Amino acid sequence: EYLGQVCADCPSVRVYVPEASEDKALGRAVNRSVREEVIEWLDYDEVSGASDIPEAIRAFGAGYRNLREQFPDEAIGWEATVEGVVALESDELLSLKLDGYIFTGGAHGFTRTRYLNFDKKSARELDNRDLFRDLPGLEALAEAAFRDSQGIASDAEINSTGFMFEDNQFRLPDTIGFEAEGLVLLYNPYEVASYADGPVRVVIPYADANPYLALSAGMQPPA
């Protein structure tokens, strides 16, 4: 757990993420990916060059104090919370889930969920395209599941109920992960809907998703 400094001019920061043993390549890959993700979320000005989580927390605090110096009557207390858990693990795959909330002023904060997926045997983080052996087939399955979950007829335009898919064409979300209930497709706020609509979450049971997955889906929830 990492906590920001507590002071009158300090934002509230709490980072609670899993850390793996650095003895093996997989552990080093997991820690590196988690560290990079947290730094990206906290790097307010995108120029801090932080190399670890404590540095990113300090950079976040420095960004808040700089804003207060420039606009002392307008700056409102910043807040950042990042929490991570093991969402699911199999013999071949490890899926971590990171939930973050960042507030740096404005009408509301920004909530975001991210899955980090790893091939345990090759000890590397997987891009979304690496998760599937039949991407077109998975996309067709995902669109059918999305339409069913959102009450959109198969012959209707994907944006007919108010979604905002680019060019009115279904696409997979940026955030894809694995949990006990199935393959999770998660559209974060603003991705295909307004902030007020919140995230859009679609779960495809493994019985349906297994034929399209590149890695074994013989998965069990973490103990």
Side-chain angles (χ1 to χ4, degrees):
E1 182 177 33
Y2 300 88
L3 300 175
Q5 183 181 0
V6 179
C7 71
D9 290 331
C10 298
S12 173
V13 183
R14 177 179 180 269
V15 177
Y16 185 80
V17 291
E19 289 189 354
S21 170
E22 295 272 344
D23 294 341
K24 296 183 179 180
L26 177 62
R28 293 191 292 272
V30 167
N31 291 344
R32 180 173 59 252
S33 294
V34 170
R35 180 173 62 248
E36 290 174 352
E37 191 70 23
V38 173
I39 289 172
E40 179 186 341
W41 288 10
L42 295 180
D43 190 1
Y44 171 73
D45 56 13
E46 299 183 348
V47 295
S48 72
S51 61
D52 58 27
I53 293 175
E55 282 187 14
I57 292 175
R58 288 192 290 271
F60 188 76
Y64 172 63
R65 286 186 288 275
N66 288 338
L67 183 68
R68 285 201 60 175
E69 289 177 3
Q70 297 178 42
F71 307 100
D73 297 328
E74 299 179 19
I76 303 175
W78 288 8
E79 179 182 350
T81 303
V82 182
E83 295 186 354
V85 297
V86 175
L88 195 140
E89 183 173 9
S90 73
D91 290 339
E92 296 185 357
L93 185 142
L94 172 67
S95 187
L96 303 182
K97 180 183 179 184
L98 299 181
D99 290 309
Y101 173 78
I102 308 292
F103 177 78
T104 55
H108 51 71
F110 180 68
T111 300
R112 179 184 179 191
T113 294
R114 178 92 159 87
Y115 288 93
L116 304 179
N117 302 304
F118 301 87
D119 182 333
K120 293 175 65 176
K121 294 183 179 180
S122 64
R124 67 186 181 95
E125 184 181 355
L126 299 169
D127 292 331
N128 285 346
R129 64 179 178 272
D130 298 324
L131 299 175
F132 310 110
R133 55 185 167 194
D134 179 3
L135 183 57
L138 187 280
E139 287 176 331
L141 176 67
E143 180 171 356
F146 183 92
R147 287 176 176 273
D148 182 64
S149 69
Q150 302 300 317
I152 304 172
S154 59
D155 58 350
E157 292 186 345
I158 195 67
N159 289 340
S160 61
T161 62
F163 285 104
M164 299 180 291
F165 284 95
E166 186 175 355
D167 298 326
N168 208 16
Q169 298 294 316
F170 175 83
R171 67 172 178 81
L172 294 174
D174 296 332
T175 302
I176 299 175
F178 299 82
E179 297 199 16
E181 58 195 308
L183 177 71
V184 179
L185 310 177
L186 183 69
Y187 297 86
N188 279 293
Y190 297 120
E191 196 170 347
V192 295
S194 69
Y195 181 87
D197 291 325
V200 180
R201 187 174 186 268
V202 178
V203 179
I204 302 177
Y206 291 120
D208 298 327
N210 279 348
Y212 307 98
L213 299 181
L215 298 179
S216 170
M219 303 175 182
Q220 297 295 328

